[in-house]
Structure formats: structure tokens, C-alpha cells
Amino acid sequence: MDSHYKNILIVSDNEMLTRRFKSWWEGKSKYHQIKTSFTRTASGKPGAGAVVDLTKTEDVARIIHDFDLVISLNSAQVFPGKLVSSVKCINVHP
């Protein structure tokens, strides 16, 4: 797969949805060359894994710098305008 997205961030507060998406994603061999990171938001339930706080300017700046696609899987935090206008964002809200 020749994609112009090389660094993808998946943000979610829903652990079950994240596990299912990650399992599906990792099963797609055509996506193996894409760097994919999974994280939860600060408003999510406490647990293991990286945390991003979309209300913090530093976190948003880091995402803009490090990623070219951000996918929100049922995230409770609203994506700030600066993020949405700087990086392609997809909101999945089942």
C-alpha cells in the first residue's frame, strides 16, 4: 500500500474498541510499513498506556509535529481547532 500517511495516532477512551481496532489493524499486512501509535485521552479511565491531554498546548503541538493522521475512536475529548486545521483527523463514533 502506498499511503502518504506514515505516522498515525489512534486516540480513544474506549479500551474494548481500541483492542478490537488494534487487532484488526495489525492483521492487515499492507499497513505494516505505517508507524501507528495508540493512546488514550486524559479524560479516559485510568489504565496502562500513553495519555494525551488535548487541552494542553504542548500535547497538541507534539501531535501536530509527530503525526500526519489522527483517528479518534470514540474519544470524549474534543479535538481543538489547531489540531484539526493542521493534521488530517478522522472521528469514529459508533
Side-chain angles (χ1 to χ4, degrees):
M1 176 180 155
D2 185 29
S3 171
H4 61 279
Y5 299 117
K6 301 296 181 194
N7 295 298
I8 300 174
L9 177 64
I10 314 294
V11 178
S12 182
D13 300 325
N14 185 319
E15 291 181 44
M16 189 259 324
L17 185 59
T18 301
R19 279 194 309 273
R20 293 181 85 184
F21 184 85
K22 189 173 186 178
S23 175
W24 172 83
W25 183 265
E26 291 173 346
K28 304 292 180 196
S29 62
K30 61 185 174 184
Y31 299 138
H32 285 181
Q33 75 277 13
I34 300 172
K35 180 182 175 227
T36 307
S37 301
F38 289 81
T39 189
R40 59 188 175 83
T41 64
S43 63
K45 293 178 184 175
V51 177
V52 63
D53 187 342
L54 298 173
T55 65
K56 290 187 177 178
T57 305
E58 316 82 63
D59 285 7
V60 174
R62 183 181 50 80
I63 292 169
I64 291 169
H65 179 266
D66 293 349
F67 298 97
D68 47 33
L69 175 64
V70 180
I71 300 173
S72 170
L73 292 178
N74 200 35
S75 176
Q77 279 194 332
V78 175
F79 280 21
K82 175 78 173 166
L83 177 61
V84 174
S85 65
S86 300
V87 178
K88 176 72 172 183
C89 296
I90 298 173
N91 183 29
V92 179
H93 196 84

